[in-house]
Amino acid sequence: MSHHLDSPEARSDPRLTIADLYVFPGETGTVFAINVCPSLAGEDAPRGFHPEGRYEFRIDGDGDLVPDVTYRVTFGEADSGGQQTVEVRSLTGAQAADAAAEGTVILNGTTSSTASGENGVRLWAGQAHDPFYLDGTVLGAIGNAFAGGTTVDLSGWNQAQAANEPFGADKVYSLVLEVPDTQLRAAVGGGDLRVWALASLATDSGGWHPVNRVGIPMIQPIFAQHDDDLAAELNSGEPADDLDRFKTRIADATAAVVAAYGTAQHPQGYGRAVAERILPNVLPYTLGTPAAFSFASWNGRSLTDNACDVMFSLATNTAFTSGLTKDSVPAPPTGTFPYVRPVAAS
């Protein structure tokens, strides 16, 4: 998984688990997309977007890891047909990092339909096919290796028979926001972005409790698959504090696996380099450029990037493949808005 159900809180209500974050150029601007509420949570799990929650795209343009603009999305209760109202607010300047700030409403709409606002902003939210792909056996082996400081044990795994389970038939609820680049550039003061997504739940006291925070893909599944405490910590706090909070643990876990492989002369040094590469946990993207989360560089993330193999190879310092590609997805994304493949109404 990328961040599918990655912590106890996320598992308690999958509507607030952010499975993946994507940032890429669209037809009319830059696309910010998250997937929540994966169907692999089970048939009895609640569906849709949480009406007492909110979903935010936080965007930093000057490198201080404090958002310069936040797009905050909230939803109403589902009607008899399962549809929800949706509202998007823009928060800029000091308000962008203020949980209590109101911001400005820029768009209103309804799920399963494209909603357009002033200045070219548009949004689609609804159930879609998950574009993510990964073999579950490989995922489990990666988690075991980083929990135990060993090589990745794939004995008994046949790459030629790699199955897209449990993700092949998985469905998610996608939230896709497209913002014109001129508007983004004006809001953040430049073109080099640092992006993260945050899902929060309203508290009885009137505040907001963060449940899931996502930037770079695959951090929790690699380093916290068997450590719920670390998974919860990774979902809390602010990106500016990530290096101080998590560098040592990620560096040590990486060093142990790399030492087991014998692929680095100085495993501790390699572990520190990996920790400094993936922390702070924000996704970089330069406006107006092709998105690619690849072996060569990280610049946003497209809906077809093989993030798993990239991150597994980096973390183990070993060429790694899960045996799957973008063509393994039975309902692939498209080149037109909303880019994800909506689930047809039954």
Side-chain angles (χ1 to χ4, degrees), residues 130-134 162 164 168 303-306 323-333:
D130 195 345
F132 180 71
Y133 51 93
L134 172 63
N164 196 18
L303 292 169
T304 58
D305 284 337
N306 195 340
L324 298 174
T325 72
K326 62 181 179 61
D327 298 322
S328 303
V329 178

Side-chain angles (χ1 to χ4, degrees), residues 62-88:
D62 58 14
D64 65 357
L65 301 175
V66 176
D68 296 298
V69 62
T70 292
Y71 295 104
R72 179 178 295 161
V73 187
T74 55
F75 294 86
E77 295 280 357
D79 64 19
S80 59
Q83 302 306 313
Q84 299 175 258
T85 59
V86 57
E87 177 185 88
V88 182

